[in-house]
Amino acid sequence: YKSDPISGLDFTNGNNYYKLENIDDAFPGDGSENNPWVITTPQELKALSDMGEAQTNSKHITLGSDIDMSGIDFTPIETYNIVFDGKGHTISNLTIDKAGENISAGLFGEVSNSTIKDLTLENFIIRSAARSGCLAGNLVKMVEVSGITIKGTNEVTVSTVGGIDSYSVEAGGMAGYADSYMIMKDITIMPGTIVTSAGDYYNERYAAGGIIGRAYNVRFAGNITSAATVNGSLAGGIVGEIGYSYSNSLHDDGTVFTNSGNISGQEAGGLFGRYYCNSTPEYKCTFNNSGNISGEIYAGGYMGYSDINLESFVSGTCSGNVTATTTTSDYNYMWVGWKFGSYGGIEATQE
């Protein structure tokens, strides 16, 4: 295990977890697909986080009840190749305060080659100087996330104010960063979540999104919904910055993106602050935005900046206020559009 044992906490057969000779005896079940580990207490969830990646590799893990993490000193779970099934249960009141530390923070710090599904998170406080989100700081590759709801009062803050040396300064309501062969399906961020990415030098490194701060080669499906309040250099109600290097598949056919949160940044969009894609999408989708958008360079009800014109590929509603405003003389242009601030280097037409 990575940390010192918890004294006085009983686990399977009345034993403390650090005394168990067989790792498979740490929780009910053996961690297989047909007999998964079942976690029912905050102490067991902490024990999972204290294990190393090798101990959790290839395990199937489920929640057997709602878990209240109030007062628990928790380290983000670092793992790969797992299936984590919340079974519709809620993890609540988790605080990970790593302000000033260059650590990926969230329920999971870094996770890859895994499935995470059917889980509700409530009343989280996540602070760090690196990639952070309520569910995960860093989704590295080949992760499928579905059926995630984030509700209550949540704070995700990534800050390098004070000269902290960190390049990975992405903040998201669900995840700070996601890259390579990701699938995100049916994600909901309810009102009450505040996402911030900030630093001494306010530039494109600081990405913030209602769901993901910065994402590359991620495919969305189902209903993708956020009501988070978002602030960052690249700020979006869904993703702060999204791009594709080898795929034009932003979404499955019929995916619905909806934002109702207020978004502010240098490049701000109701759904995506900045969007890069090699070519036009395969399928049409629905964009809905009712949040107020404020950008210092680009501002759009759907996207602040896009490298291609997506107007013929999307339908939906756009009803929030969209403004471009700055209190400095750093910029000699500001592009604002009711739906798209700019696409392909062309100023969008007001609608």
Side-chain angles (χ1 to χ4, degrees):
Y1 298 94
K2 294 187 294 183
S3 66
D4 293 333
I6 311 169
S7 61
L9 299 176
D10 293 333
F11 288 83
T12 306
N13 300 322
N15 295 320
N16 292 336
Y17 78 89
Y18 61 92
K19 294 180 180 179
L20 296 173
E21 294 181 1
N22 187 343
I23 192 69
D24 289 334
D25 292 333
F27 314 103
D30 60 16
S32 65
E33 182 177 2
N34 295 325
N35 190 22
W37 282 350
V38 181
I39 293 176
T40 59
T41 70
Q43 291 80 19
E44 288 175 338
L45 188 59
K46 175 174 172 54
L48 181 69
S49 75
D50 288 341
M51 293 178 181
E53 293 181 354
Q55 284 76 31
T56 57
N57 178 32
S58 301
K59 297 299 182 182
H60 290 253
I61 304 162
T62 68
L63 294 186
S65 66
D66 295 344
I67 296 178
D68 185 346
M69 296 299 289
S70 298
I72 301 295
D73 183 14
F74 188 84
T75 300
I77 300 167
E78 303 282 342
T79 190
Y80 62 97
N81 196 27
I82 68 164
V83 174
F84 190 96
D85 187 349
K87 296 290 184 181
H89 290 296
T90 298
I91 298 174
S92 60
N93 302 313
L94 177 67
T95 296
I96 300 176
D97 193 348
K98 301 295 183 180
E101 298 183 42
N102 195 343
I103 180 174
S104 295
L107 176 65
F108 294 89
E110 184 171 295
V111 60
S112 63
N113 298 81
S114 297
T115 297
I116 304 171
K117 61 182 180 178
D118 298 334
L119 177 65
T120 296
L121 307 178
E122 181 177 13
N123 299 337
F124 274 37
I125 297 174
I126 310 295
R127 299 173 182 146
S128 176
R131 296 166 174 164
S132 296
C134 290
L135 180 68
N138 194 2
L139 300 173
V140 182
K141 63 179 180 178
M142 299 181 67
V143 179
E144 182 172 348
V145 180
S146 64
I148 304 299
T149 298
I150 297 176
K151 66 179 184 178
T153 301
N154 304 280
E155 174 198 335
V156 179
T157 301
V158 174
S159 174
T160 61
V161 172
I164 299 169
D165 185 15
S166 176
Y167 187 83
S168 304
V169 282
E170 296 96 358
M174 185 187 76
Y177 182 84
D179 189 5
S180 299
Y181 302 104
M182 301 283 176
I183 298 175
M184 307 289 159
K185 181 178 180 181
D186 295 329
I187 311 297
T188 301
I189 313 294
M190 299 178 70
T193 295
I194 299 175
V195 180
T196 304
S197 178
D200 296 322
Y201 303 100
Y202 197 51
N203 56 38
E204 62 185 15
R205 288 190 300 164
Y206 297 90
I211 292 179
I212 304 173
R214 180 174 277 118
Y216 296 116
N217 305 305
V218 173
R219 191 178 186 101
F220 292 95
N223 293 298
I224 309 298
T225 303
S226 177
T229 299
V230 178
N231 179 265
S233 179
L234 307 181
I238 304 299
V239 183
E241 181 184 42
I242 190 163
Y244 296 87
S245 59
Y246 48 77
S247 170
N248 59 353
S249 301
L250 167 66
H251 52 78
D252 286 353
D253 193 19
T255 302
V256 178
F257 297 91
T258 302
N259 172 66
S260 58
N262 295 333
I263 314 299
S264 59
Q266 287 183 326
E267 300 180 28
L271 302 176
F272 307 103
R274 180 187 287 181
Y275 175 91
Y276 284 110
C277 187
N278 285 329
S279 58
T280 54
E282 290 181 85
Y283 305 111
K284 293 186 177 182
C285 68
T286 300
F287 283 177
N288 297 311
N289 175 62
S290 59
N292 296 323
I293 313 303
S294 177
E296 295 184 20
I297 304 177
Y298 299 104
Y302 290 159
M303 296 181 182
Y305 174 87
S306 172
D307 64 338
I308 59 174
N309 185 354
L310 294 171
E311 288 185 295
S312 63
F313 290 88
V314 301
S315 61
T317 61
C318 191
S319 59
N321 295 323
V322 182
T323 59
T325 181
T326 181
T327 58
T328 74
S329 59
D330 293 341
Y331 316 117
N332 57 13
Y333 59 89
M334 291 182 290
W335 287 358
V336 56
W338 185 247
K339 293 181 179 179
F340 300 90
S342 175
Y343 48 76
I346 301 173
E347 184 175 1
T349 302
Q350 299 288 340
E351 298 185 11

